[in-house]
Amino acid sequence: MIPSKALAGRFSWRGLAVALAVLVPFTLFGSIMLMTPSPSLLIGGGLGGADCAEAATATDLSESAREDIPADYLELYKKFGAQIGVQWNVLAAVGKRETDHGRSSLPGVKDGTNYAGAAGPMQFLISTWGGKPRIKMGTDYNGYASDGDGDGYGDVYDPADAILAAAKMLKRNGAPDDLRRAIFVYNRADWYVDQVLAIAKRYAATGGIDTPNPACDLAEDAPDGVVQKILEYALAQRGKPYRWGGTGPDAFDCSGIIYMAYRNAGLTIPRTTFGQWPFGLRIEPGSEQPGDLVFFDAGPGTGPDRPGHVGMIVSPGKMIEARCTRCGPIKVTTYADRGNVVGFTRPLQNADVLEQLKSAALT
């Protein structure tokens, strides 16, 4: 197979022309896959997306996936896809397109680099990885080098390290919601995006993209109708821009979307992150539920017990957040991979909120 040239915007237009010239007669797995995926491939998840039964089925393997993906690689795609919050079959499709899940014998897969400077089973540029193929974790470096096997080193040739790093890169650049952007940044060519999506589609049992669907977890985990109303409002704001001080309807900041979501359920909580942090009952990590808040040591004026950023839990490991102007639109993200979590609170257990709920029940 033809290994991808590059990651992170290193694909030159001259190189693209050469690749396309080679690709015309090239067949991938017996058929040319240069089709444009249908909108059904790009389901964003959440309310209004595929129903929960369909989403659950999509996590099953297709016969093609069972036959094609080595067991050890499949385990890593599933593990790190779930951990980082990207679709396992998209991650697997990148691995297939790059090096046939590490089985390619071309230069740069097991050692060295290919002609474009890419290395390892997921074909990271060494500069994108961190400057050298093997990096001791905890040292200063700038790149995606990751330790997926727990040996203390980020090795670009190690499948666990490389697949974890690829999951992080896809996540940073738009997955699971904006797949075309995430895959395009991985290798800046539209034909590459189309091929990866086509492979991912074949790997899922339903023939669709396995997109995390917060609404499915919400149906199971939401404690009551009040939380349902809170989350329905918050999830409906996805895709809208961040605006400092915003409380809608067109834009929100991090605490503004939470403030308005609670108002949608008839409840009043503090407006700002600094007010919301001491307001709710503190919750032990791992005990958080939909509607709870997760706070981060980030933003102006932040401190050890003065978090400056907040998101709302929508399902296990997932939150909806309005992060910053340059961070993209409001969306569902993971918080497990963030190293600056300060803590969790439950506004519904505040005495004032309990009184509001009691009054509402009596009217």
Side-chain angles (χ1 to χ4, degrees):
M1 83 184 287
I2 299 175
S4 169
K5 273 195 163 188
L7 304 174
R10 305 281 183 179
F11 196 93
S12 69
W13 289 110
R14 181 179 178 184
L16 176 57
V18 173
L20 285 173
V22 175
L23 188 65
V24 170
F26 176 65
T27 59
L28 184 63
F29 318 130
S31 62
I32 296 175
M33 291 187 176
L34 293 179
M35 58 186 173
T36 301
S38 67
S40 64
L41 289 180
L42 304 175
I43 296 169
L47 301 177
D51 65 32
C52 296
E54 291 174 343
T57 305
T59 64
D60 295 335
L61 300 177
S62 68
E63 192 63 30
S64 174
R66 291 190 182 92
E67 293 175 354
D68 188 46
I69 305 174
D72 55 343
Y73 272 70
L74 177 60
E75 181 180 354
L76 294 172
Y77 294 138
K78 288 273 193 176
K79 175 182 177 181
F80 294 126
Q83 177 180 315
I84 302 303
V86 304
Q87 296 89 335
W88 72 268
N89 51 341
V90 173
L91 193 57
V94 171
K96 177 67 176 181
R97 180 61 189 82
E98 294 294 345
T99 66
D100 193 18
H101 309 302
R103 291 178 293 216
S104 173
S105 59
L106 290 173
V109 178
K110 304 293 193 303
D111 54 47
T113 64
N114 69 4
Y115 62 94
M122 303 303 281
Q123 292 289 277
F124 274 88
L125 293 178
I126 297 303
S127 58
T128 304
W129 185 255
K132 54 185 178 180
R134 194 166 189 261
I135 294 175
K136 183 174 179 59
M137 307 310 292
T139 59
D140 289 335
Y141 70 95
N142 183 21
Y144 283 97
S146 302
D147 180 15
D149 60 0
D151 66 354
Y153 288 86
D155 187 338
V156 74
Y157 304 107
D158 184 276
D161 296 354
I163 291 171
L164 173 58
K168 290 179 179 178
M169 186 172 185
L170 290 169
K171 179 70 175 180
R172 179 176 180 178
N173 291 300
D177 296 316
D178 193 348
L179 289 177
R180 290 204 68 90
R181 179 181 185 277
I183 299 167
F184 185 84
V185 174
Y186 202 98
N187 186 349
R188 294 180 182 268
D190 287 328
W191 56 261
Y192 177 89
V193 177
D194 292 344
Q195 287 186 6
V196 168
L197 288 171
I199 298 167
K201 182 180 178 182
R202 287 200 338 195
Y203 278 166
T206 60
I209 299 297
D210 172 23
T211 304
N213 188 339
C216 296
D217 294 319
L218 169 60
E220 268 185 38
D221 298 328
D224 51 41
V226 172
V227 176
Q228 183 82 24
K229 289 180 180 179
I230 293 169
L231 296 189
E232 282 179 352
Y233 181 93
L235 290 170
Q237 311 315 311
R238 284 175 298 172
K240 294 182 180 180
Y242 173 94
R243 182 184 300 144
W244 187 82
T247 55
D250 300 322
F252 299 81
D253 67 8
C254 65
S255 56
I257 186 174
I258 293 168
Y259 172 74
M260 294 303 295
Y262 271 78
R263 279 191 60 178
N264 185 63
L267 302 172
T268 300
I269 66 171
R271 161 65 186 88
T272 67
T273 305
F274 296 140
Q276 290 171 3
W277 168 241
F279 184 78
L281 178 70
R282 299 288 175 91
I283 302 298
E284 287 297 316
S287 302
E288 62 271 16
Q289 298 176 7
D292 291 346
L293 307 184
V294 52
F295 293 84
F296 300 87
D297 182 7
T302 190
D305 195 38
R306 186 178 165 82
H309 180 60
V310 61
M312 182 191 295
I313 310 297
V314 297
S315 65
K318 303 285 186 180
M319 66 176 173
I320 185 165
E321 65 170 338
R323 191 169 184 179
C324 69
T325 303
R326 288 185 289 181
C327 299
I330 295 168
K331 56 192 170 185
V332 174
T333 63
T334 61
Y335 55 84
D337 58 347
R338 304 257 187 107
N340 58 342
V341 174
V342 174
F344 302 85
T345 71
R346 183 165 298 158
L348 289 175
Q349 290 298 312
N350 175 273
D352 289 343
V353 172
L354 290 173
E355 190 62 34
Q356 293 174 48
L357 291 169
K358 181 179 176 182
S359 299
L362 295 176
T363 59

